[in-house]
Amino acid sequence: YTCPALRSFNTAFITLADDDIRYWLNGTEPSATVGHVLASGGSITLESNYEVRNFRFILVSGTPILSISCGNR
């Protein structure tokens, strides 16, 4: 999944609830077995427009809930 509406921002804070995801920050599509794991209850800070534009994630299981706050520094 991606979120085109976020592409104009250069920072984002993402928290995850309920289930896990896998993600990459370089535009590569993750899979159920490849990519960084973000576990339920975890968070990640994207610190550049490159990371925000290229953030890709996939559900590992269940129905995770991502909450995203974004802006420009």
Coordinates of all heavy atoms in Angstrom, one line a residue:
Y1 N 0.8 -1.2 0.0 CA 0.0 0.0 0.0 C 0.9 1.2 0.0 O 2.0 1.3 0.5 CB -0.9 0.0 1.2 CG -1.9 -1.1 1.3 CD1 -1.6 -2.2 2.1 CD2 -3.1 -1.0 0.6 CE1 -2.6 -3.2 2.2 CE2 -4.0 -2.0 0.6 CZ -3.7 -3.1 1.4 OH -4.6 -4.2 1.5
T2 N 0.4 2.3 -0.6 CA 1.0 3.6 -0.5 C -0.1 4.6 -0.3 O -1.3 4.3 -0.3 CB 1.7 3.9 -1.9 OG1 0.7 4.0 -2.9 CG2 2.7 2.9 -2.2
C3 N 0.3 5.9 0.0 CA -0.6 6.9 0.3 C -0.2 8.2 -0.5 O 0.6 9.0 0.0 CB -0.7 7.2 1.8 SG -2.1 8.4 2.1
P4 N -0.6 8.3 -1.8 CA -0.2 9.4 -2.6 C -0.5 10.8 -1.9 O 0.3 11.8 -2.2 CB -1.1 9.3 -3.9 CG -1.4 7.8 -3.9 CD -1.5 7.4 -2.5
A5 N -1.5 10.9 -1.1 CA -1.7 12.2 -0.5 C -0.6 12.7 0.4 O -0.5 13.9 0.7 CB -3.0 12.1 0.4
L6 N 0.3 11.8 0.9 CA 1.4 12.2 1.8 C 2.6 12.7 1.0 O 3.5 13.2 1.6 CB 1.8 11.0 2.6 CG 0.8 10.4 3.6 CD1 1.3 9.2 4.3 CD2 0.3 11.5 4.6
R7 N 2.7 12.5 -0.3 CA 3.9 12.7 -1.0 C 4.5 14.2 -0.9 O 5.6 14.4 -1.2 CB 3.7 12.4 -2.5 CG 3.5 10.9 -2.7 CD 3.2 10.5 -4.1 NE 2.9 9.1 -4.1 CZ 3.6 8.3 -4.9 NH1 4.5 8.7 -5.7 NH2 3.3 7.0 -4.9
S8 N 3.7 15.1 -0.6 CA 4.2 16.5 -0.5 C 4.8 16.8 0.8 O 5.4 17.9 1.0 CB 3.0 17.5 -0.7 OG 2.1 17.4 0.3
F9 N 4.8 15.9 1.8 CA 5.4 16.2 3.1 C 6.8 15.6 3.2 O 7.2 14.7 2.5 CB 4.5 15.5 4.2 CG 3.1 16.1 4.3 CD1 2.0 15.4 3.7 CD2 2.9 17.3 4.8 CE1 0.7 16.0 3.8 CE2 1.6 17.9 4.9 CZ 0.6 17.2 4.4
N10 N 7.5 16.2 4.2 CA 8.9 15.7 4.4 C 9.2 15.1 5.7 O 10.3 14.8 6.1 CB 9.9 16.8 4.0 CG 9.8 18.0 4.9 OD1 9.4 17.9 6.1 ND2 10.3 19.2 4.4
T11 N 8.1 14.9 6.5 CA 8.2 14.2 7.8 C 6.9 13.5 8.1 O 5.8 14.0 7.7 CB 8.7 15.1 8.9 OG1 8.9 14.3 10.1 CG2 7.7 16.1 9.2
A12 N 7.0 12.3 8.7 CA 5.7 11.6 9.1 C 6.0 10.8 10.3 O 7.1 10.2 10.4 CB 5.2 10.8 8.0
F13 N 5.1 10.7 11.2 CA 5.2 9.8 12.4 C 4.0 8.8 12.2 O 2.9 9.2 12.1 CB 5.1 10.6 13.7 CG 5.1 9.8 14.9 CD1 6.3 9.1 15.2 CD2 4.0 9.6 15.7 CE1 6.4 8.4 16.4 CE2 4.1 8.8 16.8 CZ 5.3 8.2 17.2
I14 N 4.4 7.5 12.2 CA 3.4 6.5 12.0 C 3.4 5.5 13.2 O 4.4 5.1 13.7 CB 3.8 5.6 10.8 CG1 3.8 6.6 9.5 CG2 2.8 4.5 10.5 CD1 4.4 5.9 8.3
T15 N 2.2 5.3 13.7 CA 2.0 4.3 14.8 C 1.2 3.2 14.3 O 0.3 3.4 13.4 CB 1.4 4.9 16.1 OG1 0.1 5.5 15.8 CG2 2.3 6.0 16.7
L16 N 1.3 2.0 14.9 CA 0.6 0.8 14.4 C -0.1 0.1 15.5 O 0.5 0.0 16.6 CB 1.7 -0.2 13.8 CG 1.1 -1.5 13.2 CD1 0.2 -1.2 12.0 CD2 2.3 -2.3 12.8
A17 N -1.3 -0.3 15.3 CA -2.1 -1.0 16.3 C -2.7 -2.3 15.7 O -2.9 -2.3 14.5 CB -3.2 -0.1 16.8
D18 N -3.0 -3.2 16.5 CA -3.7 -4.4 16.3 C -2.9 -5.6 15.6 O -3.1 -6.7 16.0 CB -5.0 -4.2 15.5 CG -6.0 -3.4 16.4 OD1 -5.8 -3.3 17.6 OD2 -7.0 -2.9 15.8
D19 N -2.2 -5.3 14.6 CA -1.4 -6.4 13.9 C -0.2 -5.8 13.3 O 0.1 -4.6 13.3 CB -2.3 -7.0 12.8 CG -3.4 -7.9 13.3 OD1 -3.1 -8.9 14.0 OD2 -4.6 -7.6 13.2
D20 N 0.7 -6.7 12.7 CA 2.0 -6.3 12.2 C 2.0 -6.0 10.7 O 1.1 -6.5 10.0 CB 3.0 -7.5 12.4 CG 3.2 -7.9 13.9 OD1 2.7 -7.1 14.8 OD2 3.7 -8.9 14.1
I21 N 2.9 -5.2 10.3 CA 3.2 -4.9 8.9 C 4.6 -5.2 8.6 O 5.5 -5.3 9.5 CB 2.8 -3.5 8.4 CG1 3.7 -2.5 9.1 CG2 1.3 -3.2 8.7 CD1 3.5 -1.1 8.6
R22 N 5.0 -5.3 7.3 CA 6.3 -5.2 6.8 C 6.4 -4.0 5.9 O 5.5 -3.7 5.2 CB 6.7 -6.5 6.0 CG 7.0 -7.7 6.9 CD 7.6 -8.8 6.1 NE 7.9 -9.9 7.0 CZ 9.1 -10.1 7.6 NH1 10.1 -9.3 7.4 NH2 9.3 -11.1 8.4
Y23 N 7.6 -3.3 5.9 CA 7.7 -2.1 5.1 C 9.1 -1.9 4.6 O 10.1 -2.5 5.1 CB 7.3 -0.9 5.9 CG 8.3 -0.6 7.0 CD1 9.3 0.4 6.8 CD2 8.2 -1.1 8.3 CE1 10.3 0.7 7.8 CE2 9.2 -0.9 9.3 CZ 10.2 0.0 9.0 OH 11.1 0.3 10.0
W24 N 9.2 -1.1 3.6 CA 10.5 -0.6 3.0 C 10.3 0.9 2.9 O 9.2 1.4 2.7 CB 10.8 -1.2 1.7 CG 11.3 -2.6 1.7 CD1 10.6 -3.6 1.1 CD2 12.4 -3.2 2.2 NE1 11.3 -4.8 1.2 CE2 12.5 -4.5 2.0 CE3 13.5 -2.6 3.0 CZ2 13.4 -5.4 2.4 CZ3 14.5 -3.5 3.4 CH2 14.5 -4.8 3.1
L25 N 11.5 1.6 2.9 CA 11.5 3.1 2.7 C 12.1 3.5 1.4 O 12.3 4.7 1.2 CB 12.3 3.8 3.9 CG 11.7 3.5 5.3 CD1 12.6 4.2 6.3 CD2 10.3 4.1 5.4
N26 N 12.4 2.5 0.6 CA 13.1 2.9 -0.7 C 12.3 2.7 -1.9 O 12.8 2.6 -3.0 CB 14.4 2.1 -0.8 CG 14.2 0.6 -0.9 OD1 13.1 0.1 -0.9 ND2 15.3 -0.2 -0.9
G27 N 11.0 2.4 -1.8 CA 10.1 2.2 -2.9 C 9.9 0.8 -3.3 O 9.1 0.5 -4.2
T28 N 10.7 -0.1 -2.7 CA 10.6 -1.5 -3.0 C 9.3 -2.1 -2.4 O 9.0 -1.7 -1.2 CB 11.8 -2.3 -2.5 OG1 13.0 -1.8 -3.1 CG2 11.8 -3.8 -2.7
E29 N 8.6 -2.9 -3.1 CA 7.4 -3.5 -2.5 C 7.8 -4.7 -1.5 O 8.5 -5.6 -1.9 CB 6.5 -4.1 -3.6 CG 6.0 -3.1 -4.6 CD 5.1 -2.1 -3.9 OE1 4.4 -2.4 -2.9 OE2 5.0 -0.9 -4.4
P30 N 7.4 -4.6 -0.3 CA 7.6 -5.7 0.7 C 6.7 -6.9 0.4 O 5.8 -6.8 -0.4 CB 7.3 -5.0 2.1 CG 6.3 -4.0 1.7 CD 6.6 -3.5 0.3
S31 N 7.1 -8.0 1.0 CA 6.2 -9.2 0.9 C 5.9 -9.7 2.3 O 6.4 -9.1 3.3 CB 6.9 -10.2 0.1 OG 8.0 -10.8 0.8
A32 N 5.2 -10.8 2.4 CA 4.9 -11.3 3.7 C 6.2 -11.8 4.4 O 6.2 -12.1 5.6 CB 3.9 -12.5 3.6
T33 N 7.3 -12.0 3.7 CA 8.5 -12.5 4.3 C 9.7 -11.6 4.1 O 10.8 -11.8 4.7 CB 8.9 -13.9 3.7 OG1 9.0 -13.7 2.3 CG2 7.8 -14.9 4.0
V34 N 9.6 -10.5 3.4 CA 10.7 -9.6 3.1 C 10.3 -8.2 3.4 O 9.2 -7.7 3.0 CB 11.1 -9.7 1.6 CG1 12.2 -8.7 1.3 CG2 11.6 -11.1 1.3
G35 N 11.1 -7.5 4.2 CA 10.9 -6.1 4.6 C 11.1 -6.0 6.1 O 11.1 -7.0 6.8
H36 N 11.3 -4.7 6.5 CA 11.4 -4.5 8.0 C 10.0 -4.8 8.6 O 9.0 -4.5 8.0 CB 11.7 -3.1 8.3 CG 13.0 -2.6 7.7 ND1 14.2 -3.1 8.2 CD2 13.4 -1.8 6.7 CE1 15.2 -2.6 7.6 NE2 14.7 -1.8 6.6
V37 N 10.0 -5.4 9.8 CA 8.8 -5.7 10.5 C 8.5 -4.5 11.5 O 9.4 -4.0 12.2 CB 8.9 -7.0 11.4 CG1 7.6 -7.1 12.2 CG2 9.1 -8.2 10.4
L38 N 7.3 -4.0 11.4 CA 6.8 -3.0 12.4 C 5.7 -3.8 13.2 O 4.6 -4.1 12.6 CB 6.3 -1.8 11.8 CG 5.8 -0.7 12.7 CD1 6.9 -0.2 13.7 CD2 5.3 0.5 12.0
A39 N 5.9 -4.1 14.4 CA 5.0 -4.8 15.2 C 3.9 -4.0 15.8 O 4.1 -2.7 16.0 CB 5.8 -5.5 16.4
S40 N 2.8 -4.6 16.1 CA 1.7 -3.8 16.7 C 2.2 -3.1 18.0 O 2.9 -3.7 18.8 CB 0.6 -4.8 17.1 OG -0.5 -4.2 17.7
G41 N 1.8 -1.9 18.1 CA 2.3 -1.1 19.2 C 3.5 -0.3 18.9 O 4.0 0.6 19.7
G42 N 4.1 -0.6 17.7 CA 5.4 0.1 17.4 C 5.1 1.4 16.6 O 4.0 1.8 16.3
S43 N 6.2 2.1 16.4 CA 6.1 3.4 15.6 C 7.4 3.6 14.8 O 8.4 2.9 15.0 CB 5.9 4.6 16.6 OG 7.1 4.7 17.4
I44 N 7.3 4.4 13.8 CA 8.4 4.8 12.9 C 8.3 6.3 12.6 O 7.1 6.8 12.4 CB 8.5 3.9 11.7 CG1 9.7 4.3 10.8 CG2 7.2 4.0 10.9 CD1 9.9 3.3 9.7
T45 N 9.4 6.9 12.5 CA 9.4 8.3 12.0 C 10.1 8.4 10.7 O 11.2 7.9 10.5 CB 10.2 9.2 13.0 OG1 9.5 9.1 14.3 CG2 10.2 10.7 12.6
L46 N 9.4 8.9 9.7 CA 10.0 9.1 8.4 C 10.6 10.6 8.4 O 9.9 11.5 8.7 CB 9.0 9.0 7.3 CG 8.2 7.7 7.4 CD1 7.2 7.6 6.2 CD2 9.1 6.5 7.4
E47 N 11.9 10.7 8.0 CA 12.5 12.0 8.3 C 12.9 12.7 7.0 O 13.7 13.7 7.1 CB 13.8 11.7 9.1 CG 13.4 11.1 10.5 CD 14.6 10.9 11.3 OE1 15.7 10.8 10.8 OE2 14.4 10.8 12.6
S48 N 12.4 12.3 5.8 CA 12.7 13.1 4.6 C 11.5 12.8 3.6 O 10.8 11.9 3.7 CB 14.0 12.6 4.0 OG 13.8 11.3 3.5
N49 N 11.4 13.7 2.6 CA 10.4 13.5 1.6 C 10.7 12.2 0.8 O 9.7 11.6 0.4 CB 10.4 14.7 0.6 CG 9.4 14.6 -0.4 OD1 9.7 14.2 -1.6 ND2 8.1 14.8 -0.1
Y50 N 11.9 11.9 0.7 CA 12.3 10.6 0.0 C 11.6 9.4 0.7 O 11.0 8.6 0.1 CB 13.8 10.4 -0.1 CG 14.2 9.1 -0.7 CD1 14.3 8.9 -2.0 CD2 14.5 8.0 0.2 CE1 14.7 7.7 -2.6 CE2 14.8 6.8 -0.4 CZ 14.9 6.6 -1.7 OH 15.3 5.4 -2.3
E51 N 11.8 9.4 2.1 CA 11.2 8.3 2.8 C 9.7 8.3 2.8 O 9.0 7.3 2.7 CB 11.7 8.3 4.3 CG 13.1 7.9 4.5 CD 13.6 8.0 5.9 OE1 12.9 8.5 6.8 OE2 14.7 7.5 6.1
V52 N 9.1 9.5 2.9 CA 7.6 9.6 2.9 C 7.1 9.1 1.5 O 6.2 8.4 1.4 CB 7.2 11.1 3.1 CG1 5.7 11.2 2.9 CG2 7.5 11.5 4.6
R53 N 7.7 9.6 0.4 CA 7.3 9.2 -0.9 C 7.5 7.7 -1.2 O 6.7 7.2 -2.0 CB 8.0 10.0 -2.0 CG 7.6 11.5 -2.2 CD 8.3 12.2 -3.3 NE 9.7 12.3 -3.1 CZ 10.7 11.7 -3.7 NH1 10.4 10.9 -4.7 NH2 11.9 11.8 -3.4
N54 N 8.5 7.1 -0.6 CA 8.8 5.8 -0.9 C 8.4 4.7 0.1 O 8.8 3.6 0.0 CB 10.3 5.7 -1.2 CG 10.7 6.3 -2.5 OD1 10.3 5.9 -3.6 ND2 11.4 7.5 -2.4
F55 N 7.7 5.2 1.1 CA 7.2 4.2 2.2 C 6.2 3.3 1.5 O 5.2 3.7 0.9 CB 6.5 5.0 3.3 CG 6.0 4.2 4.4 CD1 6.8 3.5 5.2 CD2 4.6 4.1 4.5 CE1 6.2 2.7 6.2 CE2 4.0 3.3 5.6 CZ 4.9 2.6 6.4
R56 N 6.5 2.0 1.6 CA 5.6 0.9 1.1 C 5.4 -0.1 2.2 O 6.4 -0.4 3.0 CB 6.2 0.2 -0.1 CG 6.6 1.1 -1.2 CD 5.3 1.6 -2.0 NE 5.7 2.3 -3.2 CZ 5.9 3.6 -3.3 NH1 5.9 4.3 -2.2 NH2 6.2 4.2 -4.4
F57 N 4.2 -0.6 2.4 CA 4.0 -1.6 3.4 C 3.0 -2.6 3.0 O 2.2 -2.4 2.0 CB 3.5 -0.9 4.7 CG 2.1 -0.4 4.7 CD1 1.0 -1.1 5.1 CD2 1.9 0.9 4.2 CE1 -0.3 -0.6 5.1 CE2 0.6 1.4 4.2 CZ -0.5 0.6 4.6
I58 N 3.0 -3.7 3.7 CA 2.1 -4.8 3.4 C 1.6 -5.4 4.7 O 2.4 -5.4 5.7 CB 2.7 -5.9 2.5 CG1 1.7 -7.0 2.1 CG2 3.9 -6.6 3.2 CD1 2.2 -8.0 1.0
L59 N 0.4 -5.8 4.8 CA -0.2 -6.5 6.0 C 0.5 -7.8 6.2 O 0.7 -8.6 5.2 CB -1.7 -6.7 5.8 CG -2.5 -5.5 5.3 CD1 -3.9 -6.0 5.2 CD2 -2.4 -4.3 6.2
V60 N 0.9 -8.1 7.4 CA 1.5 -9.4 7.7 C 0.3 -10.4 8.1 O 0.3 -11.5 7.6 CB 2.5 -9.4 8.8 CG1 2.9 -10.8 9.2 CG2 3.7 -8.6 8.4
S61 N -0.6 -9.9 8.8 CA -1.8 -10.6 9.2 C -2.9 -9.7 9.8 O -2.6 -8.6 10.2 CB -1.4 -11.7 10.2 OG -1.0 -11.1 11.4
G62 N -4.1 -10.2 9.8 CA -5.2 -9.4 10.5 C -5.5 -8.1 9.8 O -5.3 -8.0 8.6
T63 N -5.9 -7.2 10.6 CA -6.3 -5.9 10.1 C -5.6 -4.8 11.0 O -6.1 -4.2 11.9 CB -7.8 -5.7 10.3 OG1 -8.4 -6.8 9.7 CG2 -8.3 -4.4 9.6
P64 N -4.3 -4.5 10.6 CA -3.6 -3.4 11.3 C -4.2 -2.0 11.1 O -4.8 -1.8 10.1 CB -2.2 -3.5 10.8 CG -2.3 -4.2 9.5 CD -3.5 -5.0 9.5
I65 N -4.0 -1.2 12.1 CA -4.5 0.2 12.0 C -3.3 1.1 12.1 O -2.5 1.1 13.1 CB -5.5 0.5 13.1 CG1 -6.7 -0.4 13.0 CG2 -5.8 2.0 13.1 CD1 -7.6 -0.3 14.2
L66 N -3.0 1.9 11.0 CA -1.9 2.8 10.9 C -2.5 4.2 11.2 O -3.5 4.6 10.6 CB -1.2 2.9 9.6 CG -0.2 1.8 9.3 CD1 -0.9 0.5 8.9 CD2 0.8 2.2 8.3
S67 N -1.8 4.9 12.1 CA -2.2 6.3 12.4 C -1.0 7.2 11.9 O 0.2 6.9 12.3 CB -2.5 6.6 13.9 OG -3.6 5.8 14.3
I68 N -1.2 8.2 11.1 CA -0.1 8.9 10.5 C -0.3 10.4 10.8 O -1.4 11.0 10.5 CB -0.1 8.7 9.0 CG1 0.1 7.2 8.7 CG2 1.1 9.5 8.3 CD1 0.0 6.8 7.2
S69 N 0.7 11.0 11.3 CA 0.8 12.5 11.4 C 1.9 12.9 10.6 O 3.0 12.4 10.6 CB 1.1 12.9 12.9 OG 0.0 12.5 13.7
C70 N 1.7 14.0 9.7 CA 2.7 14.4 8.8 C 2.8 15.9 8.7 O 1.9 16.6 9.1 CB 2.5 13.8 7.4 SG 0.9 14.0 6.8
G71 N 3.9 16.4 8.2 CA 4.1 17.8 8.1 C 5.4 18.1 7.4 O 6.0 17.3 6.8
N72 N 5.8 19.4 7.4 CA 7.0 19.9 6.8 C 7.8 20.6 7.9 O 7.3 21.3 8.7 CB 6.7 20.8 5.6 CG 6.1 20.1 4.5 OD1 6.6 19.1 4.0 ND2 5.0 20.5 4.0
R73 N 9.1 20.3 7.9 CA 10.0 21.0 8.8 C 10.6 22.2 8.2 O 10.8 22.3 7.0 CB 11.1 20.1 9.3 CG 10.7 18.8 9.9 CD 12.0 18.1 10.4 NE 12.1 16.9 9.6 CZ 13.2 16.3 9.4 NH1 14.3 16.7 9.9 NH2 13.2 15.2 8.6

